[in-house]
Amino acid sequence: MALQEKLYTVEDVWRLSQLPENELKHYYLIDGELFWDMPPGYAHGRIAVLIVSYLLNYAEEHDLGEGTVETGYYPIDDRHTLLAPDVAFIRKEYVPPADHEKFVPRMPDLAVEIQSPSNTVAELRRKAVVYLANGTAIVWLVLPARQGVEVWRAGADGEPQSEFVSRDGSLSGEQILPGFALELQRLFPR
């Protein structure tokens, strides 16, 4: 849901998110336009926990970086874009200090968005394009109703491209998490 009164910044969102009346709202920005989502439901949360646990176990074992859940990320040179992926991975060399409390001033290396009843595939695809345009290498759009994932990355020409991986396939960490594979049957039991 868009809420447009002015051109919003990362700092505006930080202030809004600190207000008690907004504790259940998840805000994000695209080109200064303010949006919010309601908290996710059980199925969404379950998939997010599974993905982050698989990512973190692998990343810790190979000393590759850290994962987050619903954390705000923004491009350092753009105060009008802020996304909060359901799950994100950031390589070790870019992990902020453990006591960093505000949003992360860079986009994640891997972003995961999980479709909820409250958002459309078109909205998720728009976010995927924004992530890729701002430095994210891989975006996974998890589509529970289709029991699969759209994998987004920049093509050789720099343009966003996607492929659909069904329940019988697996996701690769590619250059971000070399050797990582996640069988989608783990996310979508029959």
Side-chain angles (χ1 to χ4, degrees):
M1 174 183 293
L3 306 168
Q4 196 62 40
E5 296 173 9
K6 66 175 193 163
L7 193 64
Y8 287 87
T9 67
V10 170
E11 292 79 15
D12 294 328
V13 173
W14 181 259
R15 282 190 292 278
L16 280 171
S17 68
Q18 303 306 303
L19 298 174
E21 63 267 25
N22 294 332
E23 74 175 313
L24 294 180
K25 293 180 181 172
H26 299 259
Y27 290 103
Y28 64 97
L29 291 173
I30 297 177
D31 296 328
E33 186 175 356
L34 182 66
F35 299 87
W36 66 275
D37 288 326
M38 292 302 294
Y42 174 78
H44 181 284
R46 179 189 157 282
I47 291 172
V49 166
L50 287 171
I51 292 171
V52 79
S53 66
Y54 293 130
L55 287 174
L56 286 179
N57 287 337
Y58 189 85
E60 284 180 8
E61 182 180 330
H62 296 89
D63 193 30
L64 296 173
E66 293 186 359
T68 61
V69 177
E70 297 181 3
T71 299
Y73 289 83
Y74 65 94
I76 192 68
D77 58 347
D78 181 356
R79 309 304 285 172
H80 297 102
T81 298
L82 171 77
L83 296 175
D86 295 311
V87 175
F89 175 78
I90 186 167
R91 288 183 287 179
K92 183 170 94 171
E93 58 266 29
Y94 301 116
V95 172
D99 63 349
H100 183 84
E101 291 196 16
K102 293 191 175 184
F103 304 128
V104 180
R106 88 180 293 284
M107 294 306 255
D109 296 294
L110 166 68
V112 180
E113 294 283 353
I114 303 164
Q115 186 180 19
S116 293
S118 64
N119 51 36
T120 66
V121 175
E123 289 169 334
L124 296 181
R125 288 176 177 156
R126 180 179 183 197
K127 287 182 183 182
V129 170
V130 172
Y131 283 118
L132 294 173
N134 288 288
T136 299
I138 309 166
V139 181
W140 295 341
L141 302 182
V142 180
L143 307 174
R146 291 184 58 198
Q147 293 208 332
V149 176
E150 283 187 10
V151 178
W152 285 74
R153 61 183 76 76
D157 60 359
E159 291 298 312
Q161 63 180 22
S162 71
E163 68 176 299
F164 184 76
V165 180
S166 70
R167 179 188 181 280
D168 295 327
S170 67
L171 299 175
S172 165
E174 301 180 25
Q175 74 277 16
I176 301 304
L177 290 150
F180 174 81
L182 174 56
E183 301 293 325
L184 289 184
Q185 292 179 12
R186 292 180 173 196
L187 302 182
F188 307 117
R190 292 204 185 236

